Amino acid sequence: MPDSLDFRALFDRSPNPYMVLDRGLRYVWANAAYLRVTASRLEDLLGRSLFEVFPHDPEDPSNRSARELRESLERVLSGRVPDTLALIPYRVPRETATGPVLEERYWSATHTPILDERGEVAFILQHTVDVTEVQRLQQAMSAAEARRGSVSSAEQVQAGLLGRAQAVQEANRTLDAERRHLRRLFKQAPGFMCFLRGAQHVFELANDAYSQLIGHRPVLGRPVRQALPEIEGQGFFELLDKVFATGEPFVGRNLPVFLQRKPGAPLEEVFIDLVYQPIIEPDGSISGIFVQGHDITAQKRAQDELRRYREHLEELVRERTRALEESEAERRQAQAELHHAQKMEAVGQLTGGVAHDFNNLLQIIGGNLQLLQRDLAGSEQAERRLQSAIGAVDRGARLASHLLAFARRQPLEPRVIHLGRLVRGMDELLRRALGEDIEVETTIGGGLWNTFADPNQLENVVLNLAINARDAMQGAGKLTIEADNAELDAHHAQLHPDVTPGQYVRLSITDTGCGMPPEVLERVFEPFFTTKPEGRGTGLGLSMVYGFVQQTGGHIKIYSEVGRGTTIQIHFPRSLQVEEPHTELDTGPIEGGTETILVVEDDAGVRTTVVEMLLELGYRVLKASDGQSALAILQSGLPIDLLFTDVVMPGPVRSTEVARQARALLPDIEVLFTSGYTEDVIVHGGRLDSGVSLLSKPYRREELARKVRAMLRQRQQRLAAKPAEGSEAGRTPESTKKEPLRILLVEDDEAIRSSASELLEELGHGVRATSSAEEALVELGAESFDVLFTDVNLPGGSGVELAREAVRQRPRLRVIIASGYGSAALSEEGGLKGAVVLPKPYDLSRLGRALEQVMAQA
């Protein structure tokens, strides 16, 4: 017996016709029986389409037989299952003595798919049976019936069989249409569905939604354990086994499953609702399991996010309302918290609106009182009354300062400090403030970190808290001050919403006083709340501490128990920078000078007072009531050594713009701001902008004198250092060789145009002079220039508009605008950012500085 069969030889010897088509319905192979019944040669068939070789009857417009044959083959391709045509008429060649002739034959055909490794149809095997004779018997039967029976019983039986075969084929067509409709519904169903056959749960059907769920991998024909190996251990295989064994369905809700949707990718967690429904046959056996469900991952995650958000909100509400009275209802607690926040915000807004005018009034009163001291010298009673009035001004200034601190709008000047050194430096001050009957113990932790805070305000905080502790201890007890390092973790931050996790320097101040009951502790940071007798406290001390700590980015917490004392813990953020050296305040005698100071102040009373103070100190004083007047003075060419300007001024020109243009026109000028309320003009994030000097209102004559003298002394030192720097470099500004520039000069006045050209050429630059904007634009189109030097007023137009158009055409072009009054070319709204205004009249030196300035900005 041979070891193997030659299947090709076997098919060739078969009396039944067989042929094989590829996916394109092209001949791949045909056996001898097929070639014989179709009167064909194999070499004429291979590679050609079935419908090209046998197009059926071209005279039949519907070509029904060819259409039915094609539909059967397409069903095999799409469904990957066999398909049968019980009866199909088809015209094929037949060999005769005179050669091949086309003859109508009747066939019964079976089409079987041959699948590749991926489960796709690679080839189609066709097996046909020629039933022409049976069909003719049926036709004879029909004729016999017409003649009332003249055929044999055998012929009648065969004809009956053929009729039943045709009826079966028509029924199959109807069933096939219904089957295709159901498949479409199954395939396009929004929920995922599949059918698992047998105890191994082999995938027989799966719709698009199921394919999308598992990542579009091939599963048909494979057991579930092989098709979805990553589900092993998640309990689903065991559920399928139980349903198949018991016949009881399983319904699952919100089930998590981990799937590998892409090859090599990590597992993804999805959530599903599903039903395992056993398919029970008529004999009671279970043939498989129908799986149906929905992917609810997006819905589950949305629900989880909503739950987490709700839990987070509930935790915040619990934390924020825990300190309120337990007997109050939740609604009243929320209302009280809202009312408290609105009250604090209202006080902050009121503070910002009133502080400027209030401090201006204090400045006028205090300044005039100090000026009166000179006139009333020698009268002891008058001097005593003056000192009393000046003391009241100081108290008013402190009150305004406390309000600003509470509102977190005071201008801080933070620097890197070592908290331990600051506290130890206050030992003597604290002992004097607390008295001999209070023991002070200071403990500084080893390796204490640096922090970033305003040292003056921090000293006020420590002193304020120490005095509060003294009052709580009624003048006798122990005050403990500790400084150490602390880390606040995420858990602590969750319990305290105003805390950011990280490293902090902790300051703890503990007293042995009377302590505070819960109802007092809840309101301790509220402004104007105090338990002290009338006249002994403003209720702003702890509010000021709270505002300063919050503005510094820290966190404050009070722990207190009646009869046992109070501990206040303040956390300041850690700084990784090195501690900055402390500059001692100038406490020497008041000095004046002879320099020129420009005072810009919109309040006439304040302006008069400060001008008189500066004149008494020997300075030359110029004054302006708004920014526009100040710019006019700056552009006049007068030498000015210091600009002293209020921060908040009326009019379109802000104080910061005056300062910027002052430095542009006079690079060595000093700028000193003053204000009772800075808002966010020169203060951002509660801190003064870098390089900004501020003298807060109200200020004393001594404070003004020392601040002005210190800034002018810095200016003198800076000017004195310039020649030395030039000599060390081996050159002076005059000896520095500069590259010549190509300058386009636009000036309609012939005399000015001629003199400006000579000055520019004297500076070593090349000049092309024109008298109008039109001529200038022509020159710009023809040649390249480094600088456009134009008058602000031109015939029929504006030099500013010319400059805008020139810069639009040549973005690298630099612009100088000669002006007798305006500064519009420097405004950002004008679209000429970086342009320089040169006030008229100008000389060679000023023209040279303007060129240096405009080219330096390049």
Side-chain angles (χ1 to χ4, degrees):
M1 183 174 181
D3 293 337
S4 61
L5 291 175
D6 186 349
F7 289 98
R8 186 183 185 96
L10 182 65
F11 274 95
D12 273 341
R13 291 188 176 91
S14 172
N16 295 319
Y18 289 94
M19 64 90 167
V20 179
L21 303 175
D22 63 12
R23 288 185 56 85
L25 305 183
R26 294 180 293 269
Y27 281 97
V28 175
W29 176 81
N31 68 348
Y34 184 87
L35 297 175
R36 186 168 54 254
V37 299
T38 59
S40 305
R41 296 186 307 169
L42 184 60
E43 56 269 24
D44 294 334
L45 300 181
L46 294 179
R48 298 178 63 190
S49 170
L50 168 65
F51 298 101
E52 177 188 351
V53 177
F54 300 113
H56 193 54
D57 189 357
E59 298 178 358
D60 181 4
S62 64
N63 212 1
R64 176 179 176 183
S65 297
R67 186 172 68 254
E68 290 181 354
L69 179 59
R70 184 183 295 275
E71 290 174 353
S72 174
L73 295 170
E74 288 177 350
R75 285 195 294 273
V76 174
L77 289 174
S78 61
R80 292 174 290 199
V81 293
D83 193 82
T84 300
L85 291 174
L87 181 68
I88 178 173
Y90 218 96
R91 180 177 295 185
V92 297
R94 185 174 65 85
E95 290 289 347
T96 64
T98 59
V101 296
L102 287 174
E103 183 180 30
E104 186 78 41
R105 307 290 293 177
Y106 293 88
W107 309 90
S108 178
T110 300
H111 298 128
T112 304
I114 302 175
L115 306 180
D116 58 15
E117 296 178 354
R118 298 175 302 171
E120 301 293 335
V121 177
F123 303 99
I124 300 177
L125 173 67
Q126 183 191 73
H127 171 217
T128 55
V129 177
D130 189 345
V131 292
T132 304
E133 300 307 325
V134 177
Q135 176 64 12
R136 289 176 179 169
L137 283 174
Q138 184 188 24
Q139 292 172 353
M141 181 66 182
S142 299
E145 287 179 355
R147 298 191 302 271
R148 297 185 176 221
S150 61
V151 294
S152 66
S153 59
E155 291 176 337
Q156 292 179 9
V157 170
Q158 292 180 353
L161 287 174
L162 186 58
R164 285 194 295 273
Q166 288 178 321
V168 169
Q169 180 164 329
E170 289 299 323
N172 285 342
R173 287 196 185 98
T174 302
L175 291 174
D176 184 65
E178 294 176 353
R179 180 176 61 85
R180 287 198 301 273
H181 180 63
L182 291 175
R183 276 187 173 274
R184 283 194 298 272
L185 296 178
F186 177 83
K187 180 180 178 65
Q188 299 175 14
F192 63 81
M193 293 187 290
C194 68
F195 176 67
L196 307 175
R197 181 173 292 281
Q200 298 301 316
H201 317 303
V202 178
F203 280 96
E204 189 166 295
L205 294 172
N207 70 346
D208 292 346
Y210 191 88
S211 180
Q212 181 178 0
L213 174 70
I214 63 173
H216 300 283
R217 68 183 93 175
V219 295
L220 296 183
R222 304 174 67 185
V224 67
R225 284 180 169 84
Q226 180 183 350
L228 304 173
E230 71 271 21
I231 300 181
E232 182 70 41
Q234 298 186 41
F236 291 93
F237 296 157
E238 293 77 6
L239 284 173
L240 289 170
D241 294 340
K242 181 179 179 181
V243 170
F244 190 85
T246 64
E248 296 179 358
F250 170 80
V251 178
R253 301 292 183 189
N254 201 18
L255 300 177
V257 57
F258 292 87
L259 295 170
Q260 189 178 45
R261 292 185 166 184
K262 295 181 180 179
L267 298 181
E268 296 182 32
E269 184 181 27
V270 298
F271 293 87
I272 56 176
D273 291 342
L274 62 76
V275 176
Y276 288 160
Q277 178 64 48
I279 304 302
I280 303 176
E281 300 298 329
D283 61 358
S285 64
I286 299 175
S287 59
I289 298 174
F290 180 72
V291 180
Q292 187 271 333
H294 295 276
D295 182 353
I296 61 167
T297 305
Q299 177 184 349
K300 175 67 166 55
R301 288 175 179 168
Q303 291 174 347
D304 290 346
E305 184 67 23
L306 181 61
R307 177 181 53 79
R308 286 193 294 269
Y309 182 67
R310 184 173 59 250
E311 291 174 354
H312 180 61
L313 286 180
E314 291 173 353
E315 178 62 26
L316 288 178
V317 170
R318 286 193 297 270
E319 177 63 23
R320 289 174 182 267
T321 58
R322 191 168 293 136
L324 299 176
E325 295 181 356
E326 295 182 358
S327 61
E328 292 181 344
E330 184 178 351
R331 181 184 60 83
R332 293 188 59 190
Q333 291 176 345
Q335 287 180 343
E337 186 173 347
L338 178 61
H339 176 70
H340 177 69
Q342 289 174 340
K343 180 171 61 178
M344 295 180 74
E345 180 65 23
V347 171
Q349 293 179 357
L350 177 63
T351 300
V354 171
H356 179 261
D357 292 336
F358 183 56
N359 282 324
N360 273 350
L361 293 174
L362 292 176
Q363 180 61 48
I364 296 171
I365 297 170
N368 281 285
L369 289 174
Q370 293 172 67
L371 291 172
L372 278 174
Q373 283 183 313
R374 178 192 59 186
D375 300 333
L376 300 178
S379 174
E380 182 178 348
Q381 184 178 10
E383 288 185 357
R384 185 171 62 253
R385 290 174 178 174
L386 279 175
Q387 289 301 325
S388 177
I390 291 173
V393 171
D394 291 341
R395 289 194 298 275
R398 285 195 295 272
L399 177 62
S401 176
H402 287 172
L403 287 171
L404 285 172
F406 161 70
R408 288 174 275 175
R409 295 176 181 176
Q410 60 179 338
L412 299 180
E413 296 186 67
R415 58 184 177 86
V416 180
I417 59 174
H418 188 276
L419 186 59
R421 274 188 279 276
L422 183 141
V423 171
R424 289 205 181 277
M426 296 183 64
D427 281 348
E428 184 178 350
L429 175 63
L430 289 175
R431 295 185 190 279
R432 285 202 310 266
L434 299 179
E436 297 179 355
D437 295 332
I438 293 181
E439 177 187 356
V440 180
E441 179 181 335
T442 302
T443 303
I444 307 300
L448 188 68
W449 297 326
N450 290 335
T451 187
F452 189 69
D454 188 319
N456 295 326
Q457 296 295 335
L458 185 51
E459 287 180 352
N460 289 337
V461 166
V462 175
L463 183 60
N464 191 299
L465 294 178
I467 292 174
N468 281 352
R470 178 199 65 188
D471 295 342
M473 294 184 288
Q474 297 181 355
K478 181 179 180 180
L479 179 70
T480 304
I481 302 177
E482 298 178 88
D484 61 350
N485 300 329
E487 291 204 32
L488 301 181
D489 56 17
H491 176 70
H492 187 87
Q494 288 178 352
L495 299 178
H496 303 278
D498 57 338
V499 174
T500 301
Q503 296 178 327
Y504 290 83
V505 179
R506 178 170 51 199
L507 175 66
S508 303
I509 299 178
T510 304
D511 64 60
T512 58
C514 60
M516 290 180 281
E519 61 270 15
V520 173
L521 198 60
E522 291 174 359
R523 302 184 57 192
V524 71
F525 291 129
E526 292 184 11
F528 306 112
F529 174 77
T530 180
T531 58
K532 297 178 182 180
E534 185 175 355
R536 294 194 57 188
T538 63
L540 285 172
L542 285 177
S543 297
M544 180 271 292
V545 173
Y546 175 82
F548 167 73
V549 173
Q550 293 290 318
Q551 190 172 348
T552 307
H555 169 60
I556 185 170
K557 188 71 174 178
I558 297 184
Y559 306 91
S560 186
E561 185 176 347
V562 175
R564 299 181 65 91
T566 300
T567 295
I568 299 179
Q569 285 189 349
I570 305 176
H571 293 82
F572 296 102
R574 178 189 181 184
S575 174
L576 299 177
Q577 298 178 356
V578 180
E579 181 183 15
E580 300 177 10
H582 178 60
T583 303
E584 295 292 338
L585 294 176
D586 184 7
T587 57
I590 296 175
E591 297 180 17
T594 59
E595 292 89 348
T596 300
I597 300 175
L598 172 58
V599 176
V600 188
E601 172 61 62
D602 63 296
D603 189 294
V606 176
R607 185 170 64 249
T608 301
T609 304
V610 70
V611 167
E612 289 186 19
M613 286 181 174
L614 292 171
L615 288 173
E616 280 194 351
L617 293 169
Y619 295 107
R620 182 187 177 198
V621 182
L622 305 174
K623 55 187 177 181
S625 60
D626 55 31
Q628 289 174 309
S629 302
L631 287 179
I633 296 174
L634 288 165
Q635 294 168 358
S636 67
L638 291 172
I640 300 173
D641 302 295
L642 184 141
L643 170 66
F644 185 40
T645 177
D646 192 10
V647 172
V648 181
M649 287 190 301
V653 181
R654 304 174 71 186
S655 58
T656 50
E657 178 66 12
V658 174
R660 188 181 71 83
Q661 296 203 34
R663 291 191 176 101
L665 294 168
L666 302 170
D668 295 318
I669 195 172
E670 291 289 332
V671 178
L672 175 60
F673 289 96
T674 182
S675 181
Y677 175 58
T678 56
E679 188 63 34
D680 58 357
V681 178
I682 59 174
V683 174
H684 294 87
R687 301 171 183 174
L688 279 175
D689 294 342
S690 177
V692 171
S693 297
L694 174 68
L695 182 62
S696 296
K697 295 178 181 178
Y699 48 81
R700 287 176 172 266
R701 176 175 175 271
E702 294 82 1
E703 294 172 329
L704 173 65
R706 290 194 174 100
K707 188 70 173 180
V708 169
R709 191 68 251 156
M711 296 187 68
L712 290 174
R713 191 177 293 118
Q714 291 175 1
R715 178 178 182 273
Q716 291 172 354
Q717 295 171 355
R718 188 170 63 249
L719 291 175
K722 282 189 175 182
E725 294 172 0
S727 61
E728 289 175 2
R731 57 186 175 87
T732 62
E734 289 77 14
S735 64
T736 302
K737 184 178 179 180
K738 301 180 178 62
E739 292 293 331
L741 302 173
R742 288 285 296 157
I743 301 175
L744 177 60
L745 173 63
V746 189
E747 172 62 63
D748 61 316
D749 188 291
E750 183 178 356
I752 298 177
R753 185 169 65 249
S754 176
S755 62
S757 297
E758 291 181 8
L759 290 174
L760 292 170
E761 290 172 353
E762 181 69 19
L763 291 170
H765 304 299
V767 183
R768 176 66 57 85
T770 62
S771 61
S772 67
E774 292 79 5
E775 294 179 12
L777 291 174
V778 172
E779 294 293 341
L780 283 170
E783 295 187 38
S784 177
F785 294 92
D786 301 305
V787 178
L788 171 65
F789 182 19
T790 178
D791 188 20
V792 72
N793 290 324
L794 295 174
S798 164
V800 176
E801 294 299 328
L802 167 63
R804 289 191 188 126
E805 177 61 24
V807 172
R808 188 187 66 79
Q809 295 183 12
R810 296 183 179 273
R812 298 179 64 86
L813 185 68
R814 301 299 155 186
V815 176
I816 298 177
I817 297 179
S819 173
Y821 56 87
S823 60
L826 282 180
S827 67
E828 294 183 4
E829 292 78 3
L832 289 173
K833 186 176 181 180
V836 171
V837 169
L838 179 61
K840 292 181 180 180
Y842 50 82
D843 54 16
L844 184 64
S845 176
R846 293 197 178 196
L847 180 57
R849 285 201 300 269
L851 286 170
E852 290 177 359
Q853 182 183 350
V854 77
M855 294 310 296
Q857 294 179 2

